[in-house]
Amino acid sequence: MELMPQDDPGRLCQRALEALSSGDPQAALPLLERAFKAQDNPALHSYLGYCIAKERGQVRKGRDLCLASLEIEPQNPAHHLNLARVHQIAGQKPEAIAALRKGMESGGSPEIVALLNLLGSRKPPPLRFLSRDNPLNKWIGILLGRVGLR
């Protein structure tokens, strides 16, 4: 089977990244799948993992693809960003923030900074000598938040 010019993996990947940057992972998914069949590289693993988790809800498969890309290129911040997005889809906020912080250590990007700001960070517990899950810390935190002191 001969590749058609529109099936060039580099061109497919470029079109998929354009779709992702415009906020359309649904359009990027088939492009990434076609590029992945033609060529296997870490960037395709990472972006395909994010799109599969986002569009098909296959979070475990998406996470595995992102982790596979990180094994090959651990210093690529885009792979950390995609892993964080998968964790965010799964509702795993602490894991997402940890992945974003590793991405910042690897060089960072404006997308990582934007997602970190979106996810935010937790404030320290009011009584630091008690655990965050202690009911006293929870109630004091709620009261301080309602009063506007937190």
Side-chain angles (χ1 to χ4, degrees):
M1 180 174 127
E2 226 178 284
L3 287 178
M4 300 298 287
Q6 69 267 18
D7 287 342
D8 174 44
R11 186 175 165 99
L12 287 171
C13 192
Q14 180 183 1
R15 288 177 42 211
L17 291 178
E18 289 170 2
L20 282 174
S21 67
S22 67
D24 192 6
Q26 186 175 11
L29 182 59
L31 297 170
L32 288 168
E33 287 176 329
R34 286 185 10 221
F36 187 72
K37 287 180 184 176
Q39 175 187 2
D40 185 13
N41 71 40
L44 289 175
H45 279 269
S46 178
Y47 287 105
L48 184 61
Y50 163 63
C51 287
I52 285 175
K54 176 82 173 164
E55 292 303 315
R56 295 189 181 147
Q58 297 174 348
V59 176
R60 180 173 289 158
K61 185 175 181 180
R63 185 190 69 228
D64 291 343
L65 285 168
C66 290
L67 289 174
S69 68
L70 280 169
E71 285 180 14
I72 298 168
E73 294 180 350
Q75 294 302 318
N76 189 334
H79 301 332
H80 292 284
L81 174 64
N82 288 327
L83 179 62
R85 289 175 174 167
V86 171
H87 283 306
Q88 183 185 14
I89 291 166
Q92 301 167 336
K93 185 177 175 180
E95 290 86 352
I97 291 174
L100 291 171
R101 287 187 178 147
K102 285 183 182 177
M104 288 301 291
E105 291 172 4
S106 300
S109 71
E111 293 89 4
I112 291 177
V113 172
L115 190 54
L116 265 173
N117 288 335
L118 177 72
L119 290 176
S121 59
R122 295 176 80 177
K123 296 176 183 158
L127 304 174
R128 295 179 187 194
F129 58 88
L130 295 175
S131 74
R132 179 177 296 281
D133 296 329
N134 187 297
L136 190 57
N137 259 338
K138 288 183 179 183
W139 286 106
I140 291 174
I142 290 170
L143 287 174
L144 290 174
R146 287 190 181 160
V147 175
L149 297 175
R150 189 165 168 83

